[in-house]
Amino acid sequence: MNISLTPELEQLVKDKVSSGKYNSVSEVMGEALRLLEERDACGGLRLRIRDKRLAELKAKIQVGIEELERGEGIDGEEVFAEIEEDIRRAQAQMQQAEAAK
């Protein structure tokens, strides 16, 4: 098999062989193809994980929509007030812990 490389890639392959890490151009190309295959396999895994997370998020959104339609929602201002209170409590605890040191 013959392949054509840009001058930059050809120099990269030569540099890899010259470094002593690889014994031949074939070894460099073999390693490059192995890494490409590994990357492609990981890319597929990343896509499956992303698709799973997206499906879970869509399901949670649907549950929320259904709860709102049943009148089970919580007022947004109330939620933010609770969050702000939680933050104030956490900050106070951190300040107490720092003062106790």
Side-chain angles (χ1 to χ4, degrees):
M1 173 185 298
N2 291 321
I3 59 170
S4 297
L5 298 174
T6 64
E8 294 83 10
L9 289 176
E10 188 174 340
Q11 187 59 50
L12 176 62
V13 172
K14 288 178 182 178
D15 291 345
K16 294 294 180 183
V17 174
S18 296
S19 73
K21 184 174 181 183
Y22 300 93
N23 294 317
S24 67
V25 169
S26 292
E27 281 188 20
V28 174
M29 298 309 296
E31 177 73 0
L33 291 171
R34 184 191 67 72
L35 289 170
L36 179 62
E37 188 167 335
E38 183 179 301
R39 186 192 73 184
D40 289 349
C42 288
L45 176 61
R46 280 193 296 269
L47 287 175
R48 287 192 301 276
I49 290 170
R50 186 200 69 196
D51 289 347
K52 180 181 178 210
R53 287 181 178 163
L54 183 58
E56 290 170 351
L57 179 59
K58 286 179 179 180
K60 288 179 180 181
I61 290 171
Q62 186 59 42
V63 167
I65 290 170
E66 291 168 2
E67 288 174 350
L68 287 173
E69 288 173 348
R70 292 190 304 264
E72 298 173 359
I74 301 172
D75 179 68
E77 294 298 323
E78 183 182 330
V79 171
F80 284 111
E82 288 178 18
I83 291 171
E84 288 173 354
E85 181 57 33
D86 289 345
I87 291 171
R88 279 192 287 277
R89 258 184 277 158
Q91 288 173 334
Q93 288 174 349
M94 288 176 17
Q95 288 173 350
Q96 288 175 350
E98 285 295 318
K101 286 184 179 179

